[in-house]
Amino acid sequence: MLVLVLGCSALVDAQVKKGSPGKSGTGMKIKYVHPQDTSYLGISRAKDSFIQQTIKAHIDAGEDISNNAVAKAIMSDVASEIEMNPKKSLDTRSTKVLMELARKQIEKQFPKSLEQLKKELTAEAEKRFVQYKLRDRITVKYYRGPKILAVSGPFYAFNGRTVKIGSRIIPYYDVVPEDKIKIDKKYSDAKRTEFIAERYNRYRDRRSDALTQAFNKLKDAQEAANEKAGYINVLDRWFTAAQLTENYIEKERIRASSSNKSNSFDDKEILVFDTPNENQLIAKINENRTKLNSLKGIDSDWGYAPAAWDFTRGEARLALQYDNYSVLATKDYDYFITPNRLIRNIQFDYINNKLSRVITFYTRVTLQDFVKLKEQFVARYGKDDLQRDNPREAAKDRLRSLIWTGKYTIAKLMLNFGEDDVVNGVLFIKEKAGAYSPKDSMVRAPDKKGNLKIK
């Protein structure tokens, strides 16, 4: 899996420190280490890691997580390092509210709405690209060797190859470009569309980047204030340390009481997964790694290593745990976070209990970042389908999506636009080839606005 290198830093984990046994008698003391890089919810990640490691230390010591005394000891260990219940109120302003504030900040710089701009450009294009009507008296310039000549008279006919003006017939090929626009409707329409699109896209892209940057500043300030107050963000949800610790303890209690290792972040949802044979799973992972080493392009990145296509949900979850990912769940899919702070989370989808799709959600990515990200993916997987088959067409739109089609995997890297053509983020979607019909595929089936339906 490709890791974006735009300002990312490794997660600073909590450290384990030997000390005198606590009330629970673990003989181990987990020390919270404040991260050097606190950007992009770095404090939340460090505290989340610290809480999980504290609970793990008690479990690894053989303590019974279902015992209330053990739970109290864990809460006490966490409380000795970080604030459990912040006194300041949580800033709960929604994304919608912050986006409206960002819009107001850039109003002076970009006073026109995209709808207004489109109307103005269309009106201007109609004035610029005037079409001659039959029998209009016109003057047309044309090339005759190194010279430019002119002919005047009534405009009688144009058949795609020649132009008849008065009694003169001029080869259309020789007509100067600015006059071709006035004679050839198809050429004129194309130039009109190009004129509107170029100016519209330039304004839209600059406005979108300015809006994204203004929103990110507001969002960063909100997150920094909430973290400074003592709250912890996990997958876009805010918790007190007490709430998060209690949630993780409850999760481990459910895991311990169920042989099928149920694991859900939603307290109201208890899920059941298949239980894989660990020796068989390890052999399966090694076999897949050997096969992947012989593959190239997008096929060299099926699933999300070490979890491969067609792994059962239990196998995929356990494989991720081997790589120290803390996997959370809903009824329909699994998800987890990575040390890459520009990635909100990574989602696993299943069909009939078999891994079939992986979605990476990038956040805080500007249009310029997207262009750089595309370069990284091309370096990793090679040219995408359009670059390979029609490089001239591929070069026209720097913000277009990239699609790779392999024997085992199809994938798409795309901007996800919200209202008013504002970038919501970037998605990288991989699917097992043939797993989804075109109607259900997220790689092949965007909606009318170019967005994808995401569960």
Side-chain angles (χ1 to χ4, degrees):
M1 181 63 199
L2 185 66
V3 176
L4 182 62
V5 294
L6 303 175
C8 301
S9 61
L11 178 63
V12 181
D13 290 330
Q15 295 179 349
V16 179
K17 184 178 180 182
K18 289 191 175 184
S20 57
K23 293 180 181 179
S24 58
T26 63
M28 305 293 289
K29 176 70 174 176
I30 306 298
K31 181 73 175 176
Y32 169 71
V33 178
H34 193 75
Q36 292 181 347
D37 183 0
T38 60
S39 62
Y40 299 129
L41 298 169
I43 296 174
S44 288
R45 291 172 185 263
K47 286 184 176 179
D48 180 48
S49 176
F50 158 70
I51 291 171
Q52 292 195 59
Q53 288 193 42
T54 298
I55 295 171
K56 186 175 183 297
H58 284 262
I59 293 173
D60 289 347
E63 297 179 17
D64 183 3
I65 194 68
S66 63
N67 189 306
N68 287 335
V70 173
K72 288 181 179 178
I74 292 171
M75 296 291 284
S76 177
D77 285 351
V78 174
S80 68
E81 294 291 327
I82 61 177
E83 185 179 8
M84 297 296 274
N85 294 294
K87 296 178 178 62
K88 289 186 178 180
S89 298
L90 178 69
D91 182 349
T92 58
R93 286 176 298 169
S94 67
T95 296
K96 184 176 181 180
V97 170
L98 294 180
M99 183 60 76
E100 285 306 313
L101 290 174
R103 288 183 202 280
K104 290 180 181 178
Q105 290 182 7
I106 68 164
E107 274 181 356
K108 289 184 178 179
Q109 187 180 359
F110 300 93
K112 297 177 184 178
S113 69
L114 294 180
E115 184 179 0
Q116 178 186 358
L117 177 66
K118 193 72 162 284
K119 288 180 180 179
E120 291 181 4
L121 288 172
T122 301
E124 186 178 348
E126 288 176 356
K127 293 179 181 178
R128 280 175 175 257
F129 303 95
V130 178
Q131 289 272 285
Y132 288 143
K133 296 178 182 178
L134 291 179
R135 300 190 181 281
D136 281 352
R137 186 168 184 83
I138 66 173
T139 297
V140 172
K141 295 178 181 177
Y142 62 97
Y143 295 102
R144 181 69 65 188
K147 298 180 180 180
I148 296 179
L149 305 179
V151 59
S152 298
F155 175 32
Y156 284 129
F158 169 63
N159 63 9
R161 299 185 302 277
T162 60
V163 183
K164 186 176 182 181
I165 302 171
S167 60
R168 298 286 302 277
I169 296 177
I170 308 298
Y172 176 66
Y173 180 81
D174 292 338
V175 176
V176 297
E178 55 266 31
D179 286 343
K180 282 182 177 179
I181 291 172
K182 300 173 183 178
I183 293 170
D184 185 349
K185 185 178 186 307
K186 288 184 179 179
Y187 185 65
S188 179
D189 288 346
K191 284 295 182 181
R192 185 183 291 111
T193 300
E194 182 183 314
F195 171 84
I196 294 171
E198 180 183 340
R199 285 155 180 77
Y200 176 88
N201 290 340
R202 188 189 308 140
Y203 182 89
R204 179 202 64 190
D205 293 351
R206 288 174 52 239
R207 180 176 178 272
S208 180
D209 260 351
L211 186 56
T212 300
Q213 290 169 11
F215 171 79
N216 284 345
K217 276 189 176 181
L218 292 169
K219 188 69 172 174
D220 289 343
Q222 180 190 50
E223 291 174 348
N226 283 341
E227 285 188 325
K228 185 177 180 180
Y231 295 95
I232 303 169
N233 187 292
V234 178
L235 293 173
D236 292 337
R237 294 169 60 185
W238 288 100
F239 302 88
T240 65
Q243 290 171 335
L244 194 58
T245 306
E246 289 169 356
N247 282 352
Y248 282 138
I249 289 173
E250 181 61 25
K251 182 186 75 171
E252 292 300 333
R253 283 177 169 175
I254 294 173
R255 186 202 298 270
S257 65
S258 174
S259 60
N260 47 41
K261 299 184 179 180
S262 172
N263 174 14
S264 167
F265 201 75
D266 188 338
D267 297 337
K268 298 178 181 179
E269 192 172 46
I270 299 178
L271 307 175
V272 176
F273 313 116
D274 59 284
T275 305
N277 179 293
E278 292 202 35
N279 291 331
Q280 291 177 1
L281 177 59
I282 292 172
K284 196 173 182 178
I285 290 172
N286 291 333
E287 181 182 345
N288 279 320
R289 281 175 175 160
T290 300
K291 186 173 183 178
L292 285 174
N293 288 336
S294 66
L295 299 175
K296 295 181 180 179
I298 195 63
D299 279 332
S300 66
D301 192 19
W302 61 18
Y304 188 98
W309 299 136
D310 286 337
F311 271 34
T312 67
R313 194 167 185 182
E315 289 174 336
R317 292 170 60 80
L318 184 57
L320 290 170
Q321 289 167 18
Y322 289 154
D323 273 10
N324 295 318
Y325 290 113
S326 179
V327 190
L328 305 174
T330 72
K331 182 179 179 181
D332 297 318
Y333 56 84
D334 294 322
Y335 57 105
F336 58 95
I337 60 175
T338 78
N340 184 343
R341 296 181 182 182
L342 291 184
I343 294 177
R344 187 189 75 193
N345 66 286
I346 296 174
Q347 176 178 311
F348 276 25
D349 290 346
Y350 303 86
I351 296 178
N352 297 326
N353 198 38
K354 297 293 181 68
L355 180 61
S356 54
R357 178 160 56 207
V358 177
I359 309 171
T360 301
F361 295 82
Y362 287 93
T363 58
R364 291 177 171 79
V365 179
T366 65
L367 296 179
Q368 287 88 345
D369 291 336
F370 177 63
V371 173
K372 293 178 183 177
L373 187 58
K374 285 172 67 173
E375 292 171 355
Q376 293 182 39
F377 274 75
V378 169
R380 172 72 184 273
Y381 301 125
K383 295 179 179 179
D384 83 313
D385 296 354
L386 190 61
Q387 287 173 320
R388 184 191 63 227
D389 299 335
N390 194 340
R392 183 175 295 181
E393 187 67 25
K396 288 182 179 179
D397 184 4
R398 72 189 185 102
L399 299 181
R400 72 176 182 86
S401 301
L402 300 184
I403 294 179
W404 293 267
T405 303
K407 182 178 179 181
Y408 304 103
T409 300
I410 61 174
K412 184 173 190 176
L413 178 71
M414 63 171 290
L415 283 167
N416 196 36
F417 287 96
E419 295 180 2
D420 206 12
D421 278 350
V422 175
V423 175
N424 279 344
V426 172
L427 302 177
F428 179 53
I429 305 151
K430 290 184 293 182
E431 294 178 348
K432 178 189 173 186
Y436 296 90
S437 67
K439 178 182 176 183
D440 296 323
S441 170
M442 293 180 65
V443 174
R444 300 297 185 193
D447 64 21
K448 292 181 180 178
K449 292 184 178 179
N451 292 326
L452 295 171
K453 293 180 180 179
I454 303 169
K455 294 185 288 184

